C-alpha cells in the first residue's frame, strides 16, 4: 500500500491505498487473496479480446473463467 508523507509530518494514504483497504476490508464476505500468474503477452491479448466481447474486464473475465471451469469439472 502506497503512503505519502504530508507536509505536517503525518502519513496520508494514496488513492490506490484507500481503494486497496476498501477492497480487502469488506465485512460479511470472505477476504480476498491477491494472486499472480504469468502468461505470454499474445495469449493475454487473445483473452482480453474474448473478455471484452463478453463485456468483461480482465479481472472479471479471469474470475468468470475460473468459476466456470470449477463448475464444469467438479466431481459432484
Amino acid at each position: 500500500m502506497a503512503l505519502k508523507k504530508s507536509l505536517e509530518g503525518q502519513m496520508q494514504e494514496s488513492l490506490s491505498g484507500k481503494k486497496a483497504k476498501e477492497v480487502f476490508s469488506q465485512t460479511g464476505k470472505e477476504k480476498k487473496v491477491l494472486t499472480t500468474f504469468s502468461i505470454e503477452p499474445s495469449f493475454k491479448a487473445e483473452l482480453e479480446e474474448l473478455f471484452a466481447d463478453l463485456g468483461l474486464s480482465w479481472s472479471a473475465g479471469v474470475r468468470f473463467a475460473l468459476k466456470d471451469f470449477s463448475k464444469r469439472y467438479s466431481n459432484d
Side-chain angles (χ1 to χ4, degrees), residues 22-33 63 67:
E22 177 186 321
V23 168
F24 289 102
S25 67
Q26 294 175 350
T27 57
K29 289 186 172 181
E30 283 187 274
K31 291 189 176 186
K32 298 188 185 301
V33 176
R63 285 191 299 271
K67 286 179 185 177

Side-chain angles (χ1 to χ4, degrees), residues 39-46 48:
I39 60 173
E40 296 87 6
S42 59
F43 183 57
K44 183 178 183 217
E46 290 176 32
E48 286 176 322

Side-chain angles (χ1 to χ4, degrees), residues 4-21:
K4 294 181 181 177
K5 193 171 184 177
S6 68
L7 295 176
E8 298 91 33
Q10 296 179 351
M11 297 304 276
Q12 185 178 22
E13 287 185 273
S14 68
L15 182 59
S16 62
K18 289 177 186 177
K19 180 64 177 172
K21 230 181 211 179

Side-chain angles (χ1 to χ4, degrees), residues 36-69:
T36 60
F37 59 95
S38 300
I39 60 173
E40 296 87 6
S42 59
F43 183 57
K44 183 178 183 217
E46 290 176 32
L47 290 175
E48 286 176 322
E49 185 178 324
L50 173 67
F51 296 154
D53 290 344
L54 296 171
L56 300 171
S57 67
W58 166 253
S59 57
V62 170
R63 285 191 299 271
F64 173 80
L66 290 171
K67 286 179 185 177
D68 186 59
F69 180 86

